Amino acid sequence: MNKFGMLTLSVVVATSLAACGDNGEEFENETNGDAPEEGDDNTEVQEEEVNVDDMDDGADEGDGETEADEAWYEELPYNEFDLEAEYDHGEYEAEYEYEGGSPEVEIEDSRDGEDMELEGQAALDALSDILPEMDIDENSSDEEIQEAAIDAFNLDEDYSELEVEIEFNGDETEVEDES
């Protein structure tokens, strides 16, 4: 019975570690082997590696990293950003608003017959690599804002209409371009 309990605990720990790992290789390596036999030295090593306190510490560290990652939106020079790009084959929209608390974010993409909608944390995660990379502020020209939006969002320049609205600390800037 003790072997069964240890084997079950090892599988649970291996599965948990694989879920937190960078790729699935660790999981495959630990579960493809045979169950440890009595007297097998690996059983003792596995007992030492299973430490619930260590697992809890890792979870706490992950939470701290998430908080640090989420701070990117507090550093933006604007608190509202709306982008609409219309194409013959669909539309791309990104809306971002942050006034303290939690940001409100939504992304819709209907280009090329695909209907993709993201809201909440998924949309915020998608914009976390885009908005901080846009090098714009309240002194940026309309052309600089337009170019920054096209580059940051990897938009095709064959749009029929592009509209970018940004609110820099209460001052709204609107850039429109129609082809």
Side-chain angles (χ1 to χ4, degrees):
M1 188 67 155
N2 192 15
K3 282 171 105 175
F4 178 75
M6 183 54 83
L7 180 61
T8 303
L9 180 60
S10 296
V11 170
V12 169
V13 170
T15 304
S16 298
L17 291 174
C20 296
D22 291 333
N23 57 32
E25 292 177 16
E26 295 172 33
F27 178 76
E28 292 175 36
N29 289 339
E30 294 200 20
T31 59
N32 284 341
D34 293 331
E37 295 180 21
E38 190 172 274
D40 190 356
D41 291 337
N42 290 337
T43 305
E44 189 172 316
V45 173
Q46 288 175 351
E47 288 176 18
E48 291 175 15
E49 291 177 353
V50 176
N51 187 339
V52 175
D53 291 335
D54 290 343
M55 290 177 9
D56 288 341
D57 289 341
D60 291 341
E61 290 172 17
D63 291 343
E65 290 175 24
T66 302
E67 289 173 15
D69 292 341
E70 291 175 350
W72 65 265
Y73 51 79
E74 293 179 2
E75 313 240 344
L76 295 176
Y78 45 86
N79 52 359
E80 287 186 32
F81 179 90
D82 292 324
L83 169 74
E84 292 182 35
E86 294 181 15
Y87 295 90
D88 293 336
H89 53 278
E91 188 173 344
Y92 181 88
E93 293 182 46
E95 297 177 12
Y96 163 85
E97 183 177 344
Y98 177 67
E99 295 190 22
S102 297
E104 294 180 24
V105 185
E106 184 176 346
I107 300 173
E108 295 179 16
D109 189 355
S110 63
R111 299 174 294 176
D112 299 323
E114 296 180 27
D115 288 324
M116 187 269 304
E117 291 185 25
L118 294 176
E119 293 181 334
Q121 188 63 45
L124 188 62
D125 290 344
L127 292 181
S128 69
D129 292 331
I130 298 172
L131 293 181
E133 297 301 315
M134 292 181 60
D135 189 23
I136 57 172
D137 60 24
E138 60 273 356
N139 298 319
S140 298
S141 68
D142 289 356
E143 186 175 294
E144 290 171 326
I145 292 173
Q146 179 181 339
E147 287 179 25
I150 290 169
D151 290 343
F153 285 89
N154 293 320
L155 297 174
D156 292 331
E157 294 191 35
D158 66 341
Y159 54 81
S160 57
E161 183 177 348
L162 176 71
E163 183 177 337
V164 181
E165 293 180 26
I166 304 174
E167 186 176 304
F168 295 100
N169 300 320
D171 296 329
E172 189 170 310
T173 300
E174 185 172 336
V175 178
E176 288 189 55
D177 184 25
E178 292 185 34
S179 299

